C-alpha cells in the first residue's frame, strides 16, 4: 500500500462542485481584488478564530511583514524568533531591516522555550515572535510573562495552528497580533495563496489595512509607504467554502493523531504528547527517532511518504551566515532538525492507511 505524505486532490475532488460554484459567482461579479468575498471571509474567519476582527492579505509572510511595520520595528532593532520554524517567521525581522535573534525551543512542544527567553532580551529587543509550530500551542503564559516584564509586544505566527487554543484562549488573540497562512497545504488552504492578521489592538489592524493597499484609504493619497498585499476574491471565495469544513477536518486530524499515538510502539521514538495547555491541531504529526534517516528510508520502502520538517534550523541557514551563529549555539533546535520525522496527516487519510503507517513504523 502507498500512503502519500499529503494528497490535496482528495479534498479538492470532494469539494469540487461547491468551490467551483463559489468561484463562478465571484467571476460573474468581477470581485477579483478585495471586495465582498474577502469581507465575508474576514468576518467568518475572525468569528471562527475567536478574534474580534481580521485583515485578509495575500499570504502569511506578508501578514508578518505588515505586523512588523505596524509595530514600527526597523533597522537597529532585534526581534526574538525561535530557531526551529519555517523561514518566514524570521522574515518578520529581516523585511523591516531588524535582526532576528534566534531562541531555542523545548523538545516536547517544538515551540519557543520560555526558560531561555529572558536571557535573550537586550535594550534593542523590540518584539518576540512565537510560533505555534505543527499546530501545537506554545507555552504562552510563561512567554507573555517575560514579554510583560520587558514591555515587549508578542507576535503569534499561527500559520500552522488554525482553530488551536491555549488553556481555552484561541491562538492569535493572546499576544499583540496573530498571523495566519492559507497556503494550500495548511490546515485551511486557499486555491492559491492567502493570509490573515488578527489583533486585539485596533490600531494594528487599521495600519495593516492601510498598508495592504499602498498605504492609501483615500484614492491616490498615500499616508505611509504601503504594499500591494490584497487578498484575492477567488481565494476568499474558496476559503469561505472550506472554512465550513475546518472543524470537521481538525477533529479528523486529532483522531488520526490519537490512532498513531496509540499504535506506535517503536523503541526510542518520541511521539507528540497531548499537553494540558491545549491539544495540537496537528498541522504535522512529528515524531523523533535517533536513526531518523534510516527510519525514513524504511518507511519509503513500505510506501509511506514522510517529510523532514525542518531539516535545518534557521540560525544555520546560509542567508543568516553573517549573523555569526556557530553549530551548537542553539542546541535543542539543532537536535530537533537532526531527529524529526513527519508522518502523513490530513483529514482524508483512511483508517487502513493509518494502520499501514503504524505497522510500517513498528516494523523498523
Ligand atoms: C507557511 C508558514 C508561513 C508563511 O506563510 P505563506 O502563506 O506561505 O507566506 C509563516 N510561518 C510559518 C510557521 C509557516 O508554516
Amino acid at each position: 500500500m502507498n500512503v502519500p505524505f499529503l494528497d490535496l486532490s482528495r479534498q479538492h475532488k470532494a469539494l469540487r462542485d461547491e468551490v467551483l460554484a463559489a468561484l463562478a459567482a465571484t467571476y460573474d461579479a468581477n470581485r477579483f481584488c478585495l471586495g465582498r468575498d474577502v469581507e465575508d471571509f474576514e468576518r467568518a474567519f475572525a468569528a471562527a478564530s475567536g478574534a474580534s476582527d481580521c485583515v485578509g492579505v495575500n499570504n502569511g509572510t506578508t501578514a508578518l511583514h505588515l505586523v512588523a511595520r505596524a509595530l514600527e520595528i526597523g533597522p537597529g532593532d532585534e526581534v526574538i524568533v525561535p530557531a526551529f520554524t519555517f523561514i518566514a517567521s524570521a522574515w518578520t525581522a529581516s523585511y523591516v531591516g531588524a535582526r532576528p535573534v534566534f531562541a531555542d525551543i523545548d523538545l516536547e512542544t517544538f515551540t519557543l522555550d520560555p526558560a531561555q527567553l529572558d536571557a535573550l532580551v537586550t535594550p534593542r529587543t523590540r518584539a518576540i515572535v512565537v510560533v505555534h509550530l505543527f499546530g501545537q500551542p506554545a507555552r504562552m503564559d510563561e512567554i507573555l510573562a517575560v514579554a510583560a516584564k520587558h514591555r515587549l509586544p508578542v507576535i503569534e505566527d499561527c500559520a500552522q495552528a488554525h482553530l488551536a487554543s491555549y488553556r481555552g484562549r484561541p491562538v492569535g488573540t493572546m499576544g499583540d497580533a496573530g498571523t495566519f497562512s492559507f497556503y494550500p497545504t495548511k490546515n485551511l488552504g486557499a486555491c492559491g495563496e492567502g493570509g490573515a492578521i488578527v489583533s486585539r489592538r485596533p490600531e494594528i489592524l487599521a495600519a495593516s489595512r492601510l498598508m495592504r493597499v499602498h498605504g492609501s484609504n483615500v484614492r491616490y493619497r498615500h499616508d505611509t509607504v504601503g504594499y500591494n498585499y490584497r487578498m484575492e476574491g477567488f481565494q476568499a471565495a474558496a476559503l469561505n467554502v472550506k472554512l465550513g469544513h475546518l472543524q470537521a477536518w481538525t477533529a479528523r486530524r486529532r483522531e488520526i493523531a490519537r490512532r498513531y499515538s496509540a499504535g506506535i510502539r517503536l523503541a526510542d521514538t518520541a511521539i507528540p504528547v497531548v499537553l494540558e495547555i491545549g491539544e495540537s491541531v496537528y498541522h504535522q504529526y512529528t515524531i523523533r527517532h535517533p536513526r531518523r534517516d534510516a527510519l525514513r528510508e524504511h518507511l519509503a520502502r513500505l510506501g509511506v511518504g514522510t517529510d523532514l520538517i525542518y531539516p535545518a534550523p534557521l540560525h544555520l541557514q546560509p542567508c543568516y551566515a553573517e549573523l555569526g551563529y556557530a553549530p551548537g549555539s542553539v542546541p535543542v533546535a539543532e537536535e530537533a532538525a537532526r531527529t524529526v520525522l513527519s508522518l502523513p496527516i490530513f483529514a482524508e487519510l483512511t483508517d487502513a492507511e493509518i494502520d499501514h503507517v503504524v505497522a510500517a513504523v513498528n516494523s523498523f
Side-chain angles (χ1 to χ4, degrees):
M1 179 188 275
N2 275 313
V3 184
F5 178 67
L6 175 62
D7 181 5
L8 289 176
S9 70
R10 298 185 194 180
Q11 181 190 102
H12 290 143
K13 243 179 237 162
L15 295 183
R16 189 172 191 278
D17 292 346
E18 215 184 334
V19 169
L20 291 189
L23 295 181
T26 303
Y27 182 90
D28 290 338
N30 286 274
R31 289 191 298 259
F32 299 124
C33 304
L34 298 178
R36 203 190 75 205
D37 303 279
V38 173
E39 289 158 25
D40 288 348
F41 176 69
E42 288 175 336
R43 233 180 341 265
F45 187 70
S49 306
S52 51
D53 198 1
C54 162
V55 178
V57 293
N58 57 339
N59 62 65
T61 305
T62 55
L64 286 164
H65 185 193
L66 290 182
V67 170
R69 278 284 315 272
L71 291 171
E72 298 180 357
I73 301 168
D77 295 338
E78 295 176 354
V79 177
I80 297 173
V81 182
F84 188 69
T85 173
F86 182 60
I87 190 72
S89 306
W91 296 155
T92 310
S94 303
Y95 281 12
V96 293
R99 176 190 172 101
V101 171
F102 291 110
D104 217 339
I105 57 162
D106 86 73
L107 274 181
E108 201 174 41
T109 60
F110 294 116
T111 64
L112 207 154
D113 182 359
Q116 304 189 48
L117 186 54
D118 194 67
L120 297 177
V121 176
T122 76
R124 291 171 180 263
T125 310
R126 291 292 310 279
I128 298 167
V129 175
V130 178
V131 186
H132 304 296
L133 199 74
F134 303 154
Q136 170 62 53
R139 300 185 189 279
M140 289 304 290
D141 280 340
E142 294 92 328
I143 292 165
L144 290 170
V146 175
K149 177 180 157 194
H150 299 283
R151 297 174 179 278
L152 289 171
V154 171
I155 303 165
E156 298 179 66
D157 182 342
C158 309
Q160 305 186 359
H162 316 72
L163 299 192
S165 62
Y166 169 91
R167 297 192 196 282
R169 286 128 73 195
V171 298
T173 68
M174 293 171 278
D176 293 74
T179 62
F180 290 85
S181 165
F182 308 115
Y183 187 73
T185 61
K186 307 285 165 138
N187 288 28
L188 176 62
C191 298
E193 309 258 358
I197 299 160
V198 299
S199 178
R200 57 183 168 77
R201 289 172 54 182
E203 73 276 17
I204 291 180
L205 293 171
S208 299
R209 246 193 203 103
L210 184 71
M211 286 187 287
R212 85 174 160 180
V213 282
H214 302 289
S216 177
N217 273 336
V218 177
R219 204 153 180 249
Y220 300 128
R221 194 192 77 206
H222 304 277
D223 296 308
T224 184
V225 174
Y227 310 92
N228 175 0
Y229 286 173
R230 297 178 188 98
M231 178 176 266
E232 293 194 347
F234 277 147
Q235 303 311 331
L239 286 165
N240 279 323
V241 170
K242 288 188 166 197
L243 182 58
H245 299 272
L246 183 57
Q247 252 184 1
W249 290 336
T250 304
R252 178 61 180 162
R253 282 177 184 269
R254 285 176 164 162
E255 163 75 14
I256 295 165
R258 273 191 285 276
R259 281 170 171 264
Y260 279 158
S261 295
I264 292 174
R265 290 279 172 271
L266 179 65
D268 300 326
T269 307
I271 60 168
V273 285
V274 178
L275 301 169
E276 85 291 344
I277 59 174
E279 191 184 0
S280 178
V281 293
Y282 295 104
H283 176 60
Q284 301 297 344
Y285 184 94
T286 300
I287 64 174
R288 289 189 305 109
H289 192 277
R291 294 176 54 227
R292 184 267 314 273
D293 294 333
L295 173 58
R296 186 173 197 215
E297 281 166 32
H298 174 79
L299 294 176
R301 276 194 296 276
L302 295 173
V304 174
T306 59
D307 205 353
L308 302 188
I309 307 172
Y310 297 91
L314 300 192
H315 64 288
L316 300 180
Q317 291 289 343
C319 63
Y320 287 132
E322 67 193 28
L323 297 180
Y325 285 90
S329 58
V330 191
V332 184
E334 293 172 35
E335 163 82 7
R338 267 193 304 274
T339 55
V340 288
L341 186 65
S342 294
L343 302 181
I345 190 159
F346 52 99
E348 298 78 14
L349 270 185
T350 67
D351 289 352
E353 287 174 321
I354 297 164
D355 291 344
H356 180 69
V357 173
V358 168
V361 170
N362 289 343
S363 70
F364 178 60

